[in-house]
Amino acid sequence: MLSRGYGSIGVAEICARADVRKGSFYHFFESKQALTIAVVDAHWQAQRSAWTAVLREPVPALDRLERLFREQVEGQRRTKLTAGAVHGCLLANLALELSQQDSPVQERLEEIFAEQVDLVQASLDDAAREGAIPPPRPSTARSLVAQLEGLVLFAKLSNDPEILNDLWEQARLLLGVADDLSPTA
């Protein structure tokens, strides 16, 4: 699903790749949709653990956010090196592909993105308490997640992870803390 999308993979292909009979598939999942939700949940569980570990480190809040963003960039670079392509974000890929088509999957993705926004918001609140940023607007965390996902989308579109090089600098602009507005090399 990450590299080819939801619509281009059928249950028969999933079973063949997993070396599982179709009947066995339906013993565990009532549908491809149920499998997709399980995949999304497993992916988010691992990603949430990674995000939480970074965002709870005992360092200044902006340093934690920067590390989170830079780790996302490095993940896209690693994928390009190992798989030959920037695959983007599974969650955003599915959100784009299934928008208005699959309500249960869409609803789960909305919940996950809301959790991401909440994790970022908690760090922004910490940064404001530390005096590193002005008190954030309610939409700032959502804007930062959108910045991350949007640049990952452009990197996937161009198959070029270098598009992500100034992700953190752009995030700092959104936060109003950019100390150098000159373009990065």
Side-chain angles (χ1 to χ4, degrees), residues 40-102:
V40 162
D41 285 341
H43 179 81
W44 174 233
Q45 182 178 359
Q47 190 178 55
R48 183 190 315 120
S49 279
W51 280 41
T52 302
V54 169
L55 294 175
R56 290 191 177 151
E57 290 179 345
V59 298
L62 284 185
D63 292 348
R64 296 189 312 252
L65 282 169
E66 179 179 6
R67 180 163 175 229
L68 176 70
F69 275 50
R70 293 197 188 282
E71 284 187 3
Q72 303 308 304
V73 171
E74 287 309 311
Q76 297 302 320
R77 284 193 178 114
R78 277 191 306 275
T79 301
K80 171 73 180 206
L81 287 173
T82 59
V86 175
H87 289 165
C89 170
L90 172 67
L91 305 173
N93 292 348
L94 287 170
L96 289 169
E97 184 176 358
L98 299 178
S99 175
Q100 309 302 316
Q101 292 180 25
D102 193 319

Side-chain angles (χ1 to χ4, degrees), residues 47-183:
Q47 190 178 55
R48 183 190 315 120
S49 279
W51 280 41
T52 302
V54 169
L55 294 175
R56 290 191 177 151
E57 290 179 345
V59 298
L62 284 185
D63 292 348
R64 296 189 312 252
L65 282 169
E66 179 179 6
R67 180 163 175 229
L68 176 70
F69 275 50
R70 293 197 188 282
E71 284 187 3
Q72 303 308 304
V73 171
E74 287 309 311
Q76 297 302 320
R77 284 193 178 114
R78 277 191 306 275
T79 301
K80 171 73 180 206
L81 287 173
T82 59
V86 175
H87 289 165
C89 170
L90 172 67
L91 305 173
N93 292 348
L94 287 170
L96 289 169
E97 184 176 358
L98 299 178
S99 175
Q100 309 302 316
Q101 292 180 25
D102 193 319
S103 291
V105 175
Q106 181 183 358
E107 289 167 10
R108 183 62 186 125
L109 291 168
E110 285 178 19
E111 292 168 0
I112 291 168
F113 281 114
E115 286 182 62
Q116 288 181 350
V117 168
D118 289 345
L119 287 169
V120 170
Q121 183 65 51
S123 290
L124 293 177
D125 292 341
D126 289 347
R129 277 190 295 278
E130 293 166 0
I133 62 170
R137 291 180 168 170
S139 62
T140 303
R142 180 179 297 277
S143 295
L144 287 171
V145 173
Q147 177 75 13
L148 169 62
E149 293 294 347
L151 281 178
V152 167
L153 171 72
F154 282 124
K156 178 181 177 175
L157 182 64
S158 299
N159 197 31
D160 182 6
E162 301 309 307
I163 287 174
L164 298 163
N165 283 351
D166 69 346
L167 173 62
W168 179 243
E169 290 73 18
Q170 294 299 320
R172 288 178 57 85
L173 286 170
L174 283 172
L175 294 172
V177 294
D179 41 25
D180 180 6
L181 298 178
S182 63

